[in-house]
Amino acid sequence: MNALSTARRQVCILGSTGSIGVNTLDVIARHPSRYEVFALTAHRRVEELLQQCLRWAPRYAVMSDAQAAAELRQRLKAAGCRTEVLSGAAALDEVAAHPEVDTVMAAIVGAAGLSPCLAAARAGKRLLLANKEALVVGGAFFMHAVRAGGAQLLPIDSEHSAIFQCLPEDPATWAQRVERIILTASGGPFRQADPASLRDVTPEQACAHPNWVMGRKISVDSATMMNKALEVIEARWLFDLAPEQIEVVIHPQSIIHSMVVCRDRSVLAQLGTPDMRVPIAFGLAYPERIDSGAQAPDFTRLAGLSFEAPDARRFPGLQLAWETLRGAAGSTAVLNAANEEAVAAFLAGTIRFDQIHTVNARTLEDVVPTADAAASLEGLLDLDAGARRHARQLVKGMAA
C-alpha cells in the first residue's frame, strides 16, 4: 500500500449474495488490512445476507424487498448484530453514495442496478462495474454522470477488464493508439450444437456453462450469446469506440479474455484462468496488483488456444448489438429489457430457448424510443418499463 492509502478502503457491495458479490468478499477476506465492508445489499436472499452480516458486521445492510428486510432486521437483532437494515431503491442509492464509502462494487443484475450506479457515479466513487446493464441502459447519460461526478469507472466483466488492462493509463491516448478491440466469447454450452436442436434446450442445459460459474440469468445469456451482445454495447461506451471498432471471436478455452488491436497492427492480450476474482482484485487495488486467490494458468497443460467466428444460426441475437447501437438512442435499453423478460420466461418454462431471440427482435421492432427517452433517468426507466410490458405480452402470446 502506498502512503496515501494507509486507511482501509470502505467498500459497498451492491448485490453481495450473487456470484460477483461472494467473490468480492473472498478477495477482501485475503486483504483485511486494506478493505472494510461498509454496506451489503441483496434483493430477497435473507439467509445469505444474514450470514454475510454476521461475518462482516457492515454498517448497513439493504434489501430491496421490504418484507425480506423486516425478517433480516429481526434475525440480526436476535443474533446481537448491530448492522442497520434499510430497504427499498432509495436506500440502495443512499449507501452507494454515502460520504464514507470509497469503493462501490456494482453487481446488481439487470436494469435495477442503474439508479444506485448513477448515485455512486454522481458522488465521485471508485465504481467497479459488474452490472453491464448500467451502460447498456444508461449509455451516454450514464457516462455523463461519471464525468460530471469525477467518478473512477473500472470494468469488472472479465472481457472489459482485459481490454482496460491492455490500454494505456491515459484515456486521452486511446483513440490514436487503438484500431479496434476483440471481445472473446467461450461459445457457451451450445457452441457446436445443431441450430435445429436449440428449440428443445432446457434451463438446466442452458445454465451448464463449460468454463465459468455464474448466476442463472447470465448463464442463459452466455448460452444465447446475448451476454456478448450486451458486452459489445458496454464496450462502446466504456472505451468511446464506434460500433465497427468492436469485434467478437469465439475462444472456447477462455484463457485469452480479450484483445486490443493497435494502429500498428500489433495485438495486446490479457490472459488468465477463468476466475472472476482476478478482475475483482484488479479493480479493488488499481493501479496496484494484489493476490486474488486465483490459480495461474499452466500453459504446459493447455492443448491449444483456438478461435472461430460466431455462427449466426446458433447465435442470432449477437447482431442485435450493432443494430441497436446504430439505432435511436434508447434502443439498447429496449433490447436489455426485452431480454431480461424473455430469459425470465424461459427459466420459468413459459417459452422455448429459441424464442428468446424472437421476443428480443420483435420488441425492438415494435418499441421505438422517443427523441428524449434516453435523456434522463425517468425517461430511461419509463422506456424500460414499456419494453418489458411489450415483451411480456409477446411471451403471453407465445405461451397461449
Side-chain angles (χ1 to χ4, degrees), residues 1 5 50 57 62 65 83 99 128-129 146 153 156 161 195 232 252 261 269 273 277 280 308 318 330 362 375 396 400:
M1 248 190 235
S5 58
L50 171 69
V62 182
D65 182 81
T83 294
L128 310 183
L129 193 66
V146 169
L153 184 63
I156 299 301
S161 178
V232 167
V261 181
T273 51
R277 291 177 296 178
I280 289 169
E308 60 194 64
L318 181 59
R362 287 182 59 185
K396 185 177 180 180

Side-chain angles (χ1 to χ4, degrees), residues 1 7-16 20-29 31-41 49 52-53 56-62 83 92 94-107 120 125-129 156 280-281 283-286 290:
M1 248 190 235
R8 290 195 296 174
R9 294 187 68 87
Q10 300 295 305
V11 182
C12 168
I13 304 177
L14 303 172
S16 66
I20 295 294
V22 169
N23 278 313
T24 301
L25 289 170
D26 181 88
V27 175
I28 288 175
H31 304 278
S33 65
R34 284 178 172 265
Y35 307 105
E36 183 174 0
V37 178
F38 183 85
L40 298 172
T41 86
L49 191 54
Q52 289 180 346
C53 289
W56 295 98
R59 177 91 61 87
Y60 295 104
V62 182
T83 294
L92 291 173
E94 179 183 342
V95 295
H98 196 284
E100 294 183 44
V101 167
D102 304 297
T103 302
V104 176
M105 170 58 77
K125 306 301 183 184
R126 169 175 287 195
L127 181 55
L128 310 183
L129 193 66
I156 299 301
I280 289 169
L284 283 170
Y286 179 79
I290 60 174

Side-chain angles (χ1 to χ4, degrees), residues 1-177:
M1 248 190 235
N2 59 43
L4 296 178
S5 58
T6 54
R8 290 195 296 174
R9 294 187 68 87
Q10 300 295 305
V11 182
C12 168
I13 304 177
L14 303 172
S16 66
T17 61
S19 61
I20 295 294
V22 169
N23 278 313
T24 301
L25 289 170
D26 181 88
V27 175
I28 288 175
R30 298 170 188 277
H31 304 278
S33 65
R34 284 178 172 265
Y35 307 105
E36 183 174 0
V37 178
F38 183 85
L40 298 172
T41 86
H43 181 40
R44 291 196 184 98
R45 294 182 178 177
V46 174
E47 184 61 35
E48 290 93 330
L49 191 54
L50 171 69
Q51 295 304 320
Q52 289 180 346
C53 289
L54 294 177
R55 164 69 175 83
W56 295 98
R59 177 91 61 87
Y60 295 104
V62 182
M63 304 208 78
S64 53
D65 182 81
Q67 185 174 349
E71 180 182 347
L72 177 66
R73 187 178 296 112
Q74 182 179 22
R75 294 181 67 181
L76 283 174
K77 183 178 180 180
C81 181
R82 300 179 65 180
T83 294
E84 183 177 350
V85 179
L86 307 174
S87 67
L92 291 173
D93 293 355
E94 179 183 342
V95 295
H98 196 284
E100 294 183 44
V101 167
D102 304 297
T103 302
V104 176
M105 170 58 77
I108 295 176
V109 176
L114 175 58
S115 183
C117 282
L118 279 168
R122 288 165 173 162
K125 306 301 183 184
R126 169 175 287 195
L127 181 55
L128 310 183
L129 193 66
N131 171 285
K132 63 175 62 69
E133 290 85 0
L135 277 169
V136 173
V137 176
F141 175 74
F142 179 76
M143 290 305 297
H144 175 76
V146 169
R147 290 188 293 269
Q152 184 180 40
L153 184 63
L154 297 173
I156 299 301
D157 272 352
S158 61
E159 296 83 0
H160 301 90
S161 178
I163 296 297
F164 187 86
Q165 293 180 56
C166 291
L167 291 171
E169 286 194 15
D170 183 4
T173 67
W174 291 354
Q176 66 191 33
R177 297 192 183 194

